[in-house]
Amino acid sequence: GAGVSQSPSNKVTEKGKDVELRCDPISGHTALYWYRQSLGQGLEFLIYFQGNSAPDKSGLPSDRFSAERTGGSVSTLTIQRTQQEDSAVYLCASSLSPGQGAYEQYFGPGTRLTVT
Amino acid sequence: RKEVEQDPGPFNVPEGATVAFNCTYSNSASQSFFWYRQDCRKEPKLLMSVYSSGNEDGRFTAQLNRASQYISLLIRDSKLSDSATYLCVVKSGGYQKVTFGTGTKLQVIP
């Protein structure tokens, strides 16, 4: 079956521009996560969505970052007024809910963002 | 103190060797533990969950030590294909927020 997909796979933008990154989770997965990974670094949690509950935004590094999840499926991560330090790979993952037993997070291939 | 800490390595080991990684966590209420594998420039993938009684999957053995708040991953008979970064993952709380360690890099050399 289809896995988690993300688009675009690569994005180069100029400093100060806004960007939108998209994530299509696995059908039926109610939990969706965004992470970012800078070169040679670990995963940094950004935001978590679970069903219709309020998202956990505790990992967003600044108010330039926001995310939405429409209809409990597709999610968009928006970065406004991009800065060079925003350059990283942005990874999306989805999983079943705790009540459904399984936990494994399935990751998309990521969007490589480069801010020039 | 970081929530989840790992030795970044790299661990350079010859083929056939046994290698072990530890991961420490700070939240004593942590509930679930996992090892993920991440190949270079690829997304992470689940390697195995870590159960309280310890568990084994082929050449891989995972252990949990709640008293000392660490988990371990043992790889026996290392293969070249085991070369990757191994990420420790800890889940705390009543929902699914998880914390990833920064990973331990393993390089198996011929």
Side-chain angles (χ1 to χ4, degrees), chain A residues 99-110:
Chain A
Q100 292 169 280
Y103 174 73
E104 178 179 358
Q105 289 190 33
Y106 294 82
F107 283 82

Side-chain angles (χ1 to χ4, degrees), chain A residues 39-57:
Chain A
L39 188 63
Q41 302 298 309
L43 271 71
E44 177 187 1
F45 166 78
L46 297 177
I47 188 168
Y48 159 68
F49 295 90
Q50 172 57 57
N52 296 321
S53 303
D56 177 354
K57 304 180 182 180

